[in-house]
Amino acid sequence: MKRSSPSGFIRNRAVDLAKAPKVLTTGLRRSGLNRRTLLQFAAAAMSIPAIARSNTAFAKDKLAGSGEVVVFSYGGTYTKALRKAVFEPFTQATGISVLDVVADFAEPQVRAMSEAGRVDWDIAMIDAQNYPAMDRAGMFLPIDYGLWDDEAVKGTSQDARIKDAVVAFRSVTMVAYDQRAFPKGGPKNWEEFWDVKNFPGPRGLGPNARHNLVFALQADGVSKSDLWPLTDDKLERAFKKLDQIKLQIPKWWVAGGEPVTLLMNREYAATSCPDGRAIGAIRQGSPLRIVWDGGNLNYIYWTVLKGGPNSSNAQKFIAFVNRAEIAAAYTMGVGYPGPNTNQIKHLPPDLVPNLSIFDENASKLVLQDNAWLVAKRPDGKTNIDYIQERWLAWRSS
């Protein structure tokens, strides 16, 4: 079945990039990556618990339906894994077809659809820093927690189950390095990441000022407890520290799968990297290592879009993905853990210590201060817009 929309819908199958709509290929063109290369090293091929594929009585009784639901995801290996871990089991259990739409980020298109009064998607993933303003603008429907089973409710903390959203996954941007470049061990924190004398080799950093400024401050000796808020004096300190490493960065990565590929191609010796991408590559046998110390922790929310064509089915999807068994399949598939801690009993014991929900890892992370990021400065700009503008100006100087 074909659809006409600005999003470019596809069925629950692999994408033919030659025929794919523009939104599906933009991220790959911008990053300069080949989709096949990404698929080789990320989480899509992880094994999925067999229970995730079963037609559960719960799903048949409470979540059964018909028709379809349109779900946003990030493309590449993430979407490939999501189809296998969640979309296919959901359709099998409920009779509801999943159509997915992919892009680098959901927020610009969600805002555009809302303003135009034509919402073509049902579910979007929204960064926690963008959620408050979009929620105030009335873009989301309340989550129907009445559809959730008891284990999902009890396993998901209240702060992850807010009125109009629920955490989809915990995202950590952290140090990853090529073990081939550092056979005796690579940098163990951001200070050593900056130390190209003792840990030589090209470095990589990504597109977000909110990450890189915090990394630079840690490299300059600022304690985790003193990082936020990013006052003007801290910003000056961070940019001075970034000056020291700028020439060691041959390329600034853009898309989430890119740092893994650049490490594997030996274009980087060490880089900042999303945890799920790195964990997926490691579990595939890639010679990479990750460092939890000082990683930037943020939340990504599932949201049901107000005005979407299949809101009832969207609510059923959200309930399904947060079941413990499906949450485990999701985590194994994409490498990023969802919020339901009851999933741990369904995960391989060797995987749990490699996740951000593992206590030892969680204690080393820095939670991003989204309240500060979205707060407005005297000139009316938000802090995040201000630091991103400064970051881009610094990059081009």
Side-chain angles (χ1 to χ4, degrees):
M1 179 176 63
K2 296 182 178 179
R3 279 179 175 266
S4 174
S5 83
S7 310
F9 296 125
I10 58 175
R11 282 203 178 275
N12 184 5
R13 54 177 171 80
V15 183
D16 181 348
L17 289 180
K19 300 178 181 179
K22 181 178 180 181
V23 67
L24 299 177
T25 57
T26 298
L28 289 174
R29 288 202 307 270
R30 281 168 43 190
S31 66
L33 294 181
N34 177 280
R35 181 180 291 271
R36 180 174 296 177
T37 302
L38 284 174
L39 291 176
Q40 290 174 346
F41 302 116
M46 288 184 183
S47 60
I48 306 300
I51 195 167
R53 300 188 181 95
S54 65
N55 290 341
T56 65
F58 171 83
K60 288 182 176 179
D61 291 344
K62 294 194 71 173
L63 306 183
S66 60
E68 63 194 29
V69 60
V70 182
V71 183
F72 165 88
S73 65
Y74 296 110
T77 57
Y78 181 91
T79 296
K80 182 179 176 69
L82 196 60
R83 290 176 188 143
K84 183 177 181 181
V86 180
F87 294 171
E88 292 174 6
F90 175 74
T91 298
Q92 205 174 50
T94 66
I96 300 168
S97 299
V98 178
L99 297 136
D100 54 41
V101 57
V102 303
D104 286 344
F105 305 103
E107 289 87 347
Q109 295 190 63
V110 172
R111 291 189 183 102
M113 288 188 292
S114 180
E115 290 171 3
R118 178 186 172 184
V119 179
D120 296 316
W121 304 355
D122 296 304
I123 295 172
M125 290 181 174
I126 302 297
D127 194 300
Q129 71 187 34
N130 297 315
Y131 167 79
M134 297 175 74
D135 184 48
R136 288 193 296 270
M139 297 183 187
F140 310 128
L141 292 176
I143 302 297
D144 185 357
Y145 292 108
L147 291 174
W148 289 36
D149 71 356
D150 188 59
E151 189 176 39
V153 172
K154 290 180 178 178
T156 306
S157 64
Q158 186 62 55
D159 63 348
R161 292 185 288 112
I162 57 181
K163 180 183 177 184
D164 293 349
V166 61
V167 171
F169 62 87
R170 294 160 55 93
S171 173
V172 179
T173 304
M174 62 201 305
V175 174
Y177 66 84
D178 180 0
Q179 192 178 19
R180 297 168 299 178
F182 306 109
K184 295 182 180 180
K188 298 183 292 295
N189 50 49
W190 290 107
E191 184 175 358
E192 293 185 353
F193 180 92
W194 250 253
D195 184 359
V196 294
K197 180 179 179 180
N198 291 309
F199 299 92
R203 299 298 198 259
L205 288 173
N208 294 317
R210 57 191 165 109
H211 298 160
N212 299 326
L213 293 169
V214 170
F215 301 156
L217 288 171
Q218 291 182 77
D220 205 41
V222 178
S223 67
K224 295 181 182 67
S225 60
D226 292 333
L227 289 169
W228 296 94
L230 298 180
T231 56
D232 288 345
D233 62 320
K234 290 179 187 174
L235 292 178
E236 295 303 323
R237 184 172 175 179
F239 279 111
K240 288 181 180 178
K241 193 65 178 179
L242 284 162
D243 286 337
Q244 298 176 12
I245 204 171
K246 190 174 186 179
L247 295 179
Q248 306 298 324
I249 301 173
K251 179 179 181 179
W252 304 87
W253 62 264
V254 178
E258 192 171 3
V260 166
T261 301
L262 293 170
L263 283 170
M264 293 304 303
N265 291 344
R266 297 194 171 188
E267 295 179 61
Y268 291 157
T271 181
S272 63
C273 184
D275 58 332
R277 300 285 188 164
I279 292 166
I282 291 168
R283 288 177 64 82
Q284 292 281 326
S286 299
L288 308 183
R289 294 293 180 267
I290 55 177
V291 179
W292 292 99
D293 191 19
N296 185 85
L297 172 63
N298 190 32
Y299 299 127
I300 306 298
Y301 290 121
W302 288 114
T303 60
V304 176
L305 302 184
K306 188 175 183 178
N310 309 286
S311 297
S312 176
N313 286 344
Q315 298 285 1
K316 293 176 181 178
F317 178 90
I318 298 294
F320 183 82
V321 76
N322 283 285
R323 299 195 69 226
E325 301 94 327
I326 304 302
Y330 173 92
T331 296
M332 290 184 67
V334 304
Y336 300 93
N340 186 351
T341 56
N342 283 324
Q343 70 177 286
I344 289 175
K345 59 190 175 184
H346 301 289
L347 292 170
D350 68 316
L351 175 59
V352 175
N354 288 320
L355 298 175
S356 64
I357 55 175
F358 187 60
D359 287 344
E360 184 177 340
N361 300 334
S363 67
K364 299 175 181 178
L365 303 177
V366 178
L367 181 61
Q368 182 171 287
D369 188 345
N370 289 306
W372 181 85
L373 287 170
V374 301
K376 290 191 175 181
R377 301 175 65 86
D379 62 2
K381 292 181 180 178
T382 61
N383 283 316
I384 192 167
D385 287 341
Y386 172 74
I387 64 172
Q388 191 67 20
E389 287 176 7
R390 286 200 59 182
W391 164 256
L392 293 173
W394 175 84
R395 277 269 313 271
S396 63
S397 64

